Every structure is written in structure tokens, then in C-alpha cells.
Amino acid sequence: MLMSTLVILRFTGIFAAYTGITVLLPEIMFRRILKGRRLSEQFLMSYTFGNFYIINIVFALQLLHISNFFTLTAVTVLMSILIGLKVNRIPLRRKLAKGKKIFCRLSDGSLGIRSAVSKFGEWMKSGCRYFGKFFCRYIVKKPIQSVFLIFICGALLWIYGRQIILTYGYRASDIPVHLSWINQMSRGNLFASGVYPFGFHCMVYYLHAVFGFDTYVILCVFYLVQVFFIHIVLLAMLKLLCRSLYLPYAGIMVYILGSFWARQTYSRFGSSLPQEFGMIFVIPSVYFLIRFFQTEKKNLKNRETKLILGCFALAFSLTLAIHFYGTMIAGLCCIGIAVGFCTRFLNKEYFRRIMLTGIISVFLAVLPMGIAFAGGTPLQGS
């Protein structure tokens, strides 16, 4: 097999695995809550929760020193089922009774192979119909936007994607250090060189431990996954905030094709670095904070407002859990938004809620690091 073909297959597998656990899994878990929302908002909510969910599962199991393929898989599956049943208001007893009935029928032979295959086929047809409707609604019926999206993906692959074939490797001098820290996690040694924002390392470790990708391979190609989601998350935010239908696509194309800053600004996009991974979550932080300040005072106690604040807390928490530089930028953006909505920010009802949410978000990010530090792990030098 050609090396270029092998690299493309590896990237495709890693991209599919990462998208599955951070976008598709939350979409299934929170189907009732997300239903009826714009696709861009569904994506931002799912992606934010998905990353927070996986990273904190790894943190919890690593701190308990029981992290491996079996525990990671079991906790992910069981927690996803329980959350999905709770959110979608599906009675657990009814599902258990149904599962028990199917198992008993399989055991006594009353449910044959043909019947089982037939039921599985019906389930597959239902899934195909759902994706068919999705494809028709968002692709076929919106051809101009679909063409713009294809152009964006093509530009990303041309500018950044060629590197995984032309210059296979890490492309940054500090990646071997991060590789060493992730490898230590496989030995049950979290924060090997001291307490440090480890969200990026948790995600890479999860992809390695659960899906079997070699860590060094992930670090070679994961940068392209990061680049894709940086631009898609930015596009989703612009589509939600802009009144123009096509201006967000134009803005993203200018951002991709333009060369306005120092060379290092763009060269860092070609490496799998924690800082760039953390930058992704600055964008949903901005969107959810703006959404909160756009809420009328009479609606502040609504469940929707609490949901928006919860999403903001998760997104802001991720910036600190992954890299503190991202938190600095997110903080500056939040200050700018607060100035723009100064009359509401200074209002007691808005101020109290956003400050409490900010404290909770920082607490969520610092908790794993605080537990390790309290247990005797020193702080990392940086």
C-alpha cells in the first residue's frame, strides 16, 4: 500500500471516530432537546457537550487509576444510555423489560435468525430514511449553500490537507513532549510532568485506548481534524449570528485564503497542538454568551436560558481544561461582549447569573487538576 493511501485511510478513521463521539453521540443522547433547533445550533451544542463528556470521562477514570479500553468503553456506553433515557424521557424499566423479552425469545428459540435479521433490517431502513430526509432537507434543497460548503472543505484540504501526504510527521518541536505525556496516561500516570491543562491529551488518549489508533499516528494527522472543526464551528456561529445567508461562507473563505498575519499564525494550524485545539471552544463560548444577553429579562428563569448558560459553562470550561491561552482569548471576548451589552451586564439579574456560571465553568476545568495537586502532584513548569 502506498504511504499516501495509508495516511489518508488513517486520517479518515480518526476523523470518523472523533466526529462520532463528539457530534453524533450527543445528537442521539439529546435528541428531544435538540429537535426543532437550527442545524448550526444543534451542532454547536452537541460538539461542545461531546468534547466535555469524553474529556471528563478520561479525567475521572485516570484519577481513579482504572482507565483502560474496557472501563472507558463501559462508562461511555452506560452513561450515554442513562443520559439518553433520562433526557428523552424513555422509561428505563420498559426498555429493560423489552430487552429481557428479546433475550428470552432468543434463548428459547421462539425468535429465529430470520426474525432477528428482519428486525435489524427494519432498523437499518429506518436509519436510512432518516439520513435520506436529512440529506434532502439540508443538501438537496439548499444547493447554493452546499456548493459553498464544498468550496470551503476543498480549500481546507488543498491548503492544510496536502501536508499529511507531503510532509508526514509532527511539524512542531514540542509534540514529542505531548506524545510522552499521553503515553504515560496509558501507564496510568496522569500529569506525568506535573499538573497541566490535559484536555487535548485526554482526547488523543481516548482515541488511542478505545479505537486502537497509535498515539504517534493521531498526533501526525489530528491537526487536520482540528483545522476542519475550527472552521466549521466558526461557520456555524456566523450562520447563527449573521442576518445574511451567504456572508458567513464568504467570511470563512476569506479567513482560509487570506494571509494577513505572521507566517507562524498559519503554520501552527499544520501541527496537532493543544493550544489550537483549545481555540475551537472560544467560538461557542462567544455564541452562547451573546445568546444569553439577547434573552429578555422575563425569560431569564426559563429552562432554555439555563440550557444556554450550561452550554456556555461547558465551552468556557473546555478552553481552560485544554490550554490557558485559549481561556485568555475567551476572557477578552467575554469582556467585549459584556461591554456591548453593558446595560444588561450591569443588571443584577443578568450579572448574578453570568458570574455564577463563570465560577462554575472555572471550577469544572480546575477540579481534575485540583484533585491531582491535592494528591501530591506538583504543578508543571509552564
Side-chain angles (χ1 to χ4, degrees), residues 199-303:
F200 171 81
H201 308 78
C202 288
M203 183 58 70
V204 175
Y205 167 74
Y206 187 93
L207 293 171
H208 162 68
V210 174
F211 295 98
F213 300 112
D214 292 326
T215 307
Y216 76 92
V217 172
I218 299 173
L219 290 177
C220 283
V221 302
F222 193 72
Y223 82 90
L224 188 55
V225 179
Q226 293 181 187
V227 166
F228 177 83
F229 277 99
I230 285 172
H231 291 83
I232 295 303
V233 168
L234 180 58
L235 176 63
M237 184 195 72
L238 292 176
K239 284 177 66 66
L240 290 166
L241 296 180
C242 293
R243 293 182 178 180
S244 171
L245 188 61
Y246 303 112
L247 189 60
Y249 295 97
I252 296 297
M253 287 301 293
V254 170
Y255 182 63
I256 296 172
L257 300 175
S259 182
F260 308 109
W261 294 284
R263 184 175 180 273
Q264 187 183 14
T265 304
Y266 306 96
S267 64
R268 288 185 63 89
F269 275 170
S271 304
S272 303
L273 295 169
Q275 183 177 326
E276 274 58 46
F277 183 63
M279 291 297 177
I280 301 174
F281 302 98
V282 175
I283 302 168
S285 300
V286 169
Y287 169 70
F288 290 122
L289 186 58
I290 292 174
R291 268 293 310 275
F292 167 70
F293 281 122
Q294 288 176 337
T295 304
E296 296 296 333
K297 188 175 181 179
K298 62 182 180 181
N299 297 324
L300 286 179
K301 295 182 180 180
N302 289 356
R303 184 175 297 179

Side-chain angles (χ1 to χ4, degrees), residues 94-107:
R94 191 178 71 187
K95 284 293 180 182
L96 290 175
K98 187 176 179 180
K100 180 181 178 181
K101 182 179 179 181
I102 294 173
F103 178 77
C104 291
R105 290 184 64 190
L106 286 170
S107 301

Side-chain angles (χ1 to χ4, degrees), residues 54 57-77 182-189 202 204-212:
I54 297 299
I57 285 176
V58 174
F59 268 135
L61 295 180
Q62 281 285 328
L63 290 171
L64 293 171
H65 302 289
I66 56 172
S67 180
N68 54 55
F69 167 78
F70 298 103
T71 56
L72 287 168
T73 304
V75 170
T76 303
V77 172
I182 297 165
N183 285 338
Q184 287 296 323
M185 293 175 70
S186 296
R187 302 179 180 94
N189 187 11
C202 288
V204 175
Y205 167 74
Y206 187 93
L207 293 171
H208 162 68
V210 174
F211 295 98

